[in-house]
Amino acid sequence: MSAIIMDGKALAMKIRDGVKAKCNLLLEKGITPCLAVILVGNDPASLSYVKGKEKALAEAGMKSRDIRLFADTQEAALLSIIADLNKDESTHGILVQLPLPHHINEGNVIKAINPEKDVDCFTPVSVGNMVLGRKGFLPCTPSGVLALLREYNIPIAGSHVVVVGRSNIVGRPLANLLTTKEYNATVTLCHTGTYDISFHTRQADIVIAATGMPSLITPGMIKENAVVIDVGINRVSDPSAKKGYRLCGDVDPAVEEKASFFSPVPGGIGPMTIAMLIRNVAEAAGNSLNK
Ligand code: NDP
């Protein structure tokens, strides 16, 4: 039997409609939610992510301040731009598209963002708030995964969830959120130091892959009827495709035959991440009203 495909695109549109309604209320109060999007260099994948975010902001009636910087921009110059944005009352969120060029210290840049404008939960303060269960923005991709699981009424509490990948923006925060009382899952976090990943994934009720390794998770690595969430977005060369490449996830699409629910790439977590981002920007703008 084939898995039910989890339509992240449809849910994302629903969330985006809700955000648009919230934006209209803010507009009536004289506030236009605004996200500053900083891109250093011209990495094609980053450029395409940034364009997707800016399109979603415009569709929701929000503003984006596009700050495009040359690849050789110095760290001090970037920090100074962030300091100005932190002070600017008409900018409610700040997003620095990662990765940054190697000569810039990512940690310094992230730390410089005011946590009240840190709509993707990158700063140490935001991450600390999340881990301690305090108020603050939640990271967009992990919250997108959780929202999609909820939409399909997947039981999370009491489930064994195996997250493969421990990056600071996806795997680690996701594993952390899943272990909170709110979600009550039992979580195993796998990475390159894990001895036998399939030993863990085969026991999982829910497998979440966020590794950047195309088709790492194969049908033999999951149990029958597991729920499989594919976060990966990878460009693999494909001479038959118009652009010379195609997008694929971290999960072999053949998993669909064995899973009960499966989030595809594209159309799964990618659109959910953007929806969560614009939701956070609207919230940041709303928070600015209460100041
Ligand atoms: P990172 O490269 O930052 O982290 C990858 C993680 O996967 C690391 O923890 C690494 O382990 C682990 N890993 C890599 N290879 C293996 C392997 N063979 N076995 C086990 N673990 C492995 O990636 P991100 O978390 O930023 O992104 C992961 C994927 O998700 C990418 O394809 C990215 O494009 C996509 N992505 C998608 C988003 C969306 O909106 N859908 C948003 C963000 C990312 P170790 O720590 O040991 O090195």
Side-chain angles (χ1 to χ4, degrees):
M1 213 180 65
S2 238
I4 292 174
I5 299 298
M6 302 168 86
D7 192 344
K9 209 168 163 186
L11 177 58
M13 286 317 293
K14 211 157 76 175
I15 293 169
R16 284 166 63 168
D17 284 346
V19 173
K20 196 170 180 177
K22 186 170 178 184
C23 272
N24 286 337
L25 294 177
L26 288 168
L27 287 171
E28 281 169 18
K29 292 178 181 159
I31 292 193
T32 308
C34 173
L35 175 70
V37 182
I38 304 176
L39 176 63
V40 186
N42 49 11
D43 172 61
S46 295
L47 201 60
S48 134
Y49 295 145
V50 163
K51 279 187 185 155
K53 288 166 186 171
E54 289 169 349
K55 184 165 172 269
L57 289 163
E59 282 173 11
M62 299 179 177
K63 271 201 297 208
S64 60
R65 281 186 67 178
D66 314 335
I67 301 169
R68 305 276 156 89
L69 303 171
F70 290 115
D72 60 357
T73 300
Q74 292 304 303
E75 185 176 313
L78 181 53
L79 292 175
S80 156
I81 290 170
I82 293 175
D84 287 344
L85 292 169
N86 281 341
K87 280 185 244 150
D88 177 25
E89 286 182 8
S90 65
T91 299
H92 306 103
I94 301 171
L95 188 141
V96 179
Q97 184 66 42
L98 301 179
L100 289 168
H102 293 304
H103 67 279
I104 297 178
N105 181 316
E106 228 163 71
N108 289 345
V109 171
I110 289 170
K111 203 168 62 185
I113 299 170
N114 177 351
E116 289 177 10
K117 300 190 180 189
D118 180 20
V119 285
D120 209 358
C121 189
F122 276 2
T123 66
V125 171
S126 307
V127 174
N129 285 336
M130 177 195 69
V131 171
L132 296 172
R134 292 188 187 151
K135 206 171 164 310
F137 295 112
L138 294 179
C140 299
T141 303
S143 14
V145 171
L146 295 169
L148 195 61
L149 288 169
R150 274 194 305 253
E151 174 73 3
Y152 283 85
N153 295 316
I154 308 292
I156 303 177
S159 293
H160 179 204
V161 184
V162 172
V163 179
V164 189
R166 60 176 162 188
S167 75
N168 287 339
I169 61 167
V170 190
R172 202 187 293 271
L174 186 52
N176 197 283
L177 289 167
L178 283 161
T179 56
T180 59
K181 277 259 187 210
E182 186 181 349
Y183 293 101
N184 258 347
T186 302
V187 178
T188 302
L189 183 56
C190 297
H191 40 76
T192 55
T194 303
Y195 170 60
D196 178 1
I197 289 175
S198 63
F199 168 80
H200 301 283
T201 52
R202 278 198 306 270
Q203 298 175 50
D205 304 305
I206 303 173
V207 175
I208 304 173
T211 65
M213 300 300 289
S215 298
L216 179 74
I217 307 296
T218 56
M221 292 173 73
I222 65 156
K223 75 176 177 189
E224 201 76 46
N225 290 326
V227 174
V228 181
I229 303 288
D230 192 352
V231 177
I233 301 180
N234 309 300
R235 287 181 175 205
V236 291
S237 152
D238 181 353
S240 69
K242 211 164 101 186
K243 292 181 177 168
Y245 68 85
R246 63 186 164 79
L247 292 183
C248 77
D250 294 351
V251 178
D252 179 345
V255 156
E256 190 188 327
E257 297 305 316
K258 199 168 175 188
S260 55
F261 290 85
F262 181 40
S263 84
V265 176
I269 303 304
M272 289 300 299
T273 297
I274 293 183
M276 294 298 151
L277 174 70
I278 66 164
R279 197 175 72 173
N280 281 354
V281 177
E283 194 182 323
N287 292 345
S288 74
L289 256 186
N290 305 328
K291 277 192 180 167

